[in-house]
Amino acid sequence: MDFVAFVDVVAIDRRFSLLLVRQLGQDRLMAISVRVIGVGDAFTDRYYNASFFVESGKTRLLVDAPPALGKALGDLGTRGGERIGLADIDRVIITHLHGDHVGGLEQLLFFRRFVVGRKVELYACPEVLAGLWDTRLSGGMDTLMLADGSRTQLKLEDYADVIPLETGRNQIGDLVLEWRPTIHHIPTSALRMSNGQTSFGYSADTAFDSSLIEWLAESDAFFHETNLGVHTPIASLVELPEATRSKMRLIHYPDFHDVERSPIPCIHEGDRLDI
């Protein structure tokens, strides 16, 4: 029979790795990998802002593009595993337009245009895409000077292949992705993705929402934020059923959160979650 088991968090060279293995008879199948770039909130001075890769088959999807993205990727590479740079990011999804989640997108898009010469696939729900260019990017990206001194006007589609997420299922390479709105200041999308064998979810920024958590808990594993203000308090998460908490790892936590004594385990920068 199929079964899913957590192997507990173990220390390796002062780092932590979390392994979630789906076993089929005697075979272990690593179906989805999640590599954690950053875990911090908007005010952190200890961590990079929350961001990670989801990988399955030949598909690599960057979830959110925080400030100092290139530096964060470089530091991720020093923690072991494949080194991934801006040139290696072909797909990115933006959950919402707060700076800690989208502040590195300009860097990524400029690098891809001027250095790589190839666009990224840029995904977001329609409400997020509606404000992305006008409120976040156009001021620094809508005008380029050419070699002869003339200027040309550009739009978002000149930098990226823009793909709005549809309601329901979206095929992104080897992944099938679903989204739903969260309770936040501005339009924000939680994510759930699968490759047909295993699945992973992410709350993105949200106030406590039991129906959202039930939706996420249909995945084999998921990350959930915890923070102050219009976010999810840890006190609400610890009241959830143990079966739900066992699938959950915390991200986007404040600097003062005690990760070693956290009642729900935290994900750490550099962790790799294999599902």
Side-chain angles (χ1 to χ4, degrees):
M1 294 180 62
D2 293 7
F3 66 96
V4 178
F6 269 114
V7 178
D8 204 1
V9 179
V10 295
I12 302 176
D13 295 331
R14 297 184 179 181
R15 292 183 292 108
F16 291 86
S17 62
L18 175 66
L19 181 66
L20 176 62
V21 179
R22 175 179 291 272
Q23 285 189 314
L24 305 174
Q26 299 298 315
D27 299 324
R28 287 186 172 183
L29 177 62
M30 301 298 190
I32 290 178
S33 292
V34 184
R35 291 188 67 189
V36 181
I37 302 168
V39 298
D41 64 5
F43 309 115
T44 181
D45 60 16
R46 295 184 61 184
Y47 310 112
Y48 290 111
N49 299 122
S51 180
F52 49 87
F53 288 109
V54 180
E55 299 174 300
S56 181
K58 297 181 179 180
T59 300
R60 175 184 292 132
L61 178 65
L62 172 66
V63 178
D64 283 336
L69 179 59
K71 178 66 164 58
L73 295 176
D75 284 355
L76 176 66
T78 67
R79 298 185 176 104
E82 179 188 3
R83 289 180 176 270
I84 301 173
L86 297 172
D88 304 310
I89 301 172
D90 293 321
R91 296 180 173 98
V92 58
I93 186 168
I94 300 299
T95 62
H96 66 293
L97 297 183
H98 281 152
D100 54 320
H101 294 263
V102 76
L105 187 58
E106 177 182 302
Q107 180 191 38
L108 174 61
L109 296 183
F110 269 144
F111 186 90
R112 296 285 300 201
R113 181 178 180 89
F114 292 118
V115 180
V116 179
R118 189 172 69 251
K119 296 178 181 180
V120 297
E121 293 179 5
L122 173 61
Y123 298 87
C125 69
E127 292 82 359
V128 171
L129 284 178
L132 177 57
W133 181 249
D134 290 340
T135 68
R136 280 293 174 186
L137 298 177
S138 65
M141 302 184 75
D142 67 354
T143 304
L144 291 183
M145 180 180 288
L146 305 181
D148 62 4
S150 64
R151 298 176 186 271
T152 184
Q153 297 297 121
L154 284 83
K155 54 187 182 300
L156 181 58
E157 288 75 12
D158 293 313
Y159 291 97
D161 293 322
V162 182
I163 305 171
L165 294 177
E166 298 179 358
T167 301
R169 297 160 66 87
N170 298 264
Q171 191 73 45
I172 302 178
D174 297 309
L175 294 167
V176 175
L177 182 141
E178 300 171 277
W179 70 277
R180 59 174 282 171
T182 75
I183 303 170
H184 201 43
H185 303 282
I186 59 177
T188 304
S189 55
L191 308 173
R192 194 171 66 183
M193 55 198 82
S194 170
N195 66 358
Q197 301 175 60
T198 189
S199 55
F200 169 77
Y202 176 44
S203 71
D205 287 14
T206 183
F208 180 74
D209 181 351
S210 59
S211 65
L212 171 62
I213 293 174
E214 290 174 4
W215 183 79
L216 292 168
E218 294 177 16
S219 305
D220 293 312
F222 65 97
F223 292 169
H224 202 290
E225 68 114 90
T226 185
N227 220 287
L228 305 177
V230 185
H231 290 274
T232 300
I234 188 70
S236 297
L237 296 176
V238 297
E239 297 298 323
L240 294 169
E242 192 279 332
T244 299
R245 287 185 283 110
S246 68
K247 295 183 176 184
M248 179 189 300
R249 292 296 181 266
L250 299 181
I251 195 171
H252 197 273
Y253 42 81
D255 287 358
F256 58 78
H257 184 73
D258 190 340
V259 297
E260 302 305 325
R261 295 182 176 84
S262 180
I264 298 173
C266 298
I267 207 73
H268 302 75
E269 291 178 353
D271 279 357
R272 174 172 176 154
L273 175 71
D274 290 321
I275 305 171

